[in-house]
Amino acid sequence: MDKLVIEGGGRLSGEIPVSGAKNAALPILCASLLSAEPIALSNVPELHDIHTMLKLLRQMGVTATRDGDTVTIGAQHISRPEAPYDLVKTMRASILVLGPLLARCGEARVSLPGGCAIGARPVDQHVKGLQAMGAQISVEHGYLVAKAARLKGGARIVTDMITVTGTENLMMAAVLADGETILENAAREPEVGDLANLLVKMGARIDGIGSDRLVIQGVERLHGAEHRVIPDRIEAGTFLCAAAATMGDIVLRHVTPGLLDAVLEKLRETGAAVSAGDDWIRVAMQRRPKAVSFRTSEYPAFPTDMQAQFMALNSVAEGTSQVVETIFENRFMHVQELTRLGANIAVEGNTAVVTGVPRLSGATVMATDLRASASLVLAGLVADGQTTIDRIYHLDRGYDRMEAKLCAAGASVRRVGARQGDLA
């Protein structure tokens, strides 16, 4: 199993290119199931989650080819409208095939995500919305089994909570439903909007893109399209935090600054000089950063996917900060590993109080999830001595060649061990 070995204490400087957004590419790949014509996608990141999704699509009889950052999907024939447990257990985003399969094939058999029953996280919101469109859904042997001759519009669906994957699944189902579907309390994340923009290119009729109310007029069929995936705002934010933590000077290329307003504002509060153009962002830090407090919330507020990285930054900042996590329970698992590196963090419920220390010290730590992995990399960059991060397969799920990009900006990061699997 691969590890990252980081020699800390260096200052990042230079340019880093940002890859396409994982959280946009995954639902967009699922949207290809809605048309019998080819879908050509560019700026698709090279990640294990993308590889898993392509493997899932191929198991259904779909053709998927990759040339550089371009993936072409052909779903002319869907021979097996099923998402088996062995793939779903490794990637919760697999649930996103449910809506497209039901809309296109009239049936779907999708494993419940590992360790999750209906009601324990918002899978129930997907089911409730599809049932409102006329689907018959049951749970059989750990699988959601859904059937509908054709989904029906006329539904006004109000989800109990804001759910990104729920909004995406229901939107993809509704574009082929008979009649009008209204989604209230819809997620406003840019990745949802990117999916909606592709669907419109395919012939869907969607009003309210970017708002919390989507009005969808179902159509008989969708056609092929070409689409470029938006830049990954979380990857961008991670590198910007690394620049601030190491008192560096970094320019990010191929980004959309407007998607990062909440993150950039917090970086300015740390004392960083932040400037931006149409497709670039520069962060320069001349002194030890100041601690910043924040509360995670749905877009356009501060993203939960940046919480761990800012906690690593706060660990070496001047002062004390309070971090409140409101989106996910159990998302402070990186705290224990940061404290192994010398961070001073106290957790009570969904609140962490971080008292900055002048330096961290290198140690062996273990990644527990994707964003926790990124926070440990940031901490390793500023720690004295050597930091070894185990279980970095989590990192490979969401960051495209992270160590190579950091090394190009002056970091000392090396991968130890054979990389697991080939990336599609």
Side-chain angles (χ1 to χ4, degrees):
M1 191 175 295
D2 287 13
K3 303 177 182 180
L4 282 187
V5 178
I6 304 172
E7 300 292 342
R11 177 177 179 270
L12 294 184
S13 179
E15 295 190 359
I16 296 178
V18 173
S19 301
K22 173 184 82 86
N23 289 338
L26 290 172
I28 281 173
L29 288 171
C30 295
S32 66
L33 294 167
L34 291 165
S35 175
E37 299 179 13
I39 306 295
L41 307 171
S42 60
N43 202 34
V44 179
E46 199 165 329
L47 306 169
H48 277 291
D49 274 9
I50 299 297
H51 169 69
T52 301
M53 185 62 77
L54 292 175
K55 183 177 180 180
L56 174 58
L57 293 174
R58 290 176 182 129
Q59 282 197 2
M60 296 178 187
V62 174
T63 63
T65 59
R66 179 159 200 150
D67 182 10
D69 74 349
T70 299
V71 173
T72 302
I73 307 292
Q76 184 177 3
H77 302 292
I78 300 175
S79 58
R80 187 186 179 199
E82 178 178 332
Y85 174 71
D86 63 333
L87 290 176
V88 174
K89 71 179 180 180
T90 66
M91 184 180 65
R92 291 186 58 87
S94 304
I95 194 70
L96 286 166
V97 301
L98 178 61
L101 286 177
L102 191 55
R104 170 92 182 280
C105 304
E107 61 177 327
R109 186 170 182 266
V110 179
S111 173
L112 286 167
C116 177
I118 291 179
R121 289 183 75 174
V123 175
D124 62 324
Q125 301 301 301
H126 304 233
V127 172
K128 184 178 90 169
L130 292 171
Q131 288 174 331
M133 286 185 253
Q136 296 180 333
I137 302 178
S138 59
V139 179
E140 300 176 11
H141 308 292
Y143 280 77
L144 288 172
V145 179
K147 295 183 179 180
R150 186 182 179 189
L151 294 172
K152 303 294 183 183
R156 177 177 173 268
I157 301 169
V158 184
T159 55
D160 295 341
M161 64 193 77
I162 298 174
T163 160
V164 172
T165 54
T167 299
E168 292 166 340
N169 231 341
L170 298 177
M171 179 168 59
M172 287 189 282
V175 294
L176 290 181
D178 182 15
E180 180 181 272
T181 304
I182 299 174
L183 302 182
E184 302 276 10
N185 202 29
R188 299 169 56 191
E189 271 70 7
E191 296 79 14
V192 176
D194 202 32
L195 170 63
N197 288 331
L198 166 66
L199 293 171
V200 169
K201 290 179 183 178
M202 295 168 67
R205 299 171 59 192
I206 306 172
D207 290 324
I209 296 173
S211 76
D212 61 1
R213 185 176 190 270
L214 299 174
V215 180
I216 304 161
Q217 305 288 342
V219 297
E220 288 285 340
R221 60 182 292 275
L222 297 178
H223 51 71
E226 296 181 359
H227 184 75
R228 182 174 178 83
V229 176
I230 60 172
D232 195 317
R233 61 192 173 100
I234 305 303
E235 182 192 30
T238 300
F239 287 131
L240 295 176
C241 276
T246 64
M247 290 183 278
D249 187 343
I250 288 292
V251 176
L252 299 187
R253 299 292 183 186
H254 316 306
V255 291
T256 304
L259 304 183
L260 284 156
D261 286 345
V263 169
L264 296 182
E265 183 56 35
K266 286 299 172 184
L267 284 169
R268 290 186 179 99
E269 287 183 29
T270 69
V274 180
S275 54
D278 291 341
D279 62 353
W280 61 269
I281 301 172
R282 179 184 179 187
V283 164
M285 179 68 83
Q286 301 296 327
R287 45 153 292 165
R288 183 182 174 191
K290 299 175 184 176
V292 292
S293 296
F294 59 90
R295 171 187 293 265
T296 66
S297 192
E298 293 84 2
Y299 188 86
F302 192 92
T304 181
D305 280 353
M306 284 301 305
Q307 177 253 105
Q309 299 91 310
F310 264 84
M311 192 176 291
L313 173 59
N314 278 334
S315 295
V316 293
E318 183 181 315
T320 298
S321 59
Q322 186 177 81
V323 176
V324 182
E325 173 58 56
T326 72
I327 305 298
F328 291 120
E329 70 280 7
N330 301 324
R331 205 167 196 186
F332 283 153
M333 289 188 291
H334 47 281
V335 169
Q336 181 176 347
E337 302 304 302
L338 288 173
T339 58
R340 284 180 52 79
L341 296 169
N344 184 352
I345 306 172
V347 174
E348 183 172 348
N350 69 336
T351 301
V353 177
V354 186
T355 302
V357 297
R359 301 289 292 181
L360 300 177
S361 86
T364 298
V365 292
M366 180 180 68
T368 54
D369 61 54
L370 171 55
R371 306 308 171 185
S373 305
S375 76
L376 296 179
V377 172
L378 267 59
L381 291 174
V382 297
D384 289 330
Q386 186 177 94
T387 297
T388 300
I389 306 175
D390 286 330
R391 295 176 63 182
I392 62 161
Y393 59 84
H394 289 295
L395 193 74
D396 293 333
R397 287 184 49 234
Y399 289 91
D400 187 347
R401 299 180 295 274
M402 186 184 207
E403 69 272 23
K405 292 180 179 181
L406 287 171
C407 287
S412 175
V413 185
R414 58 189 172 92
R415 181 181 291 259
V416 177
R419 187 151 181 156
Q420 302 297 310
D422 295 322
L423 294 176

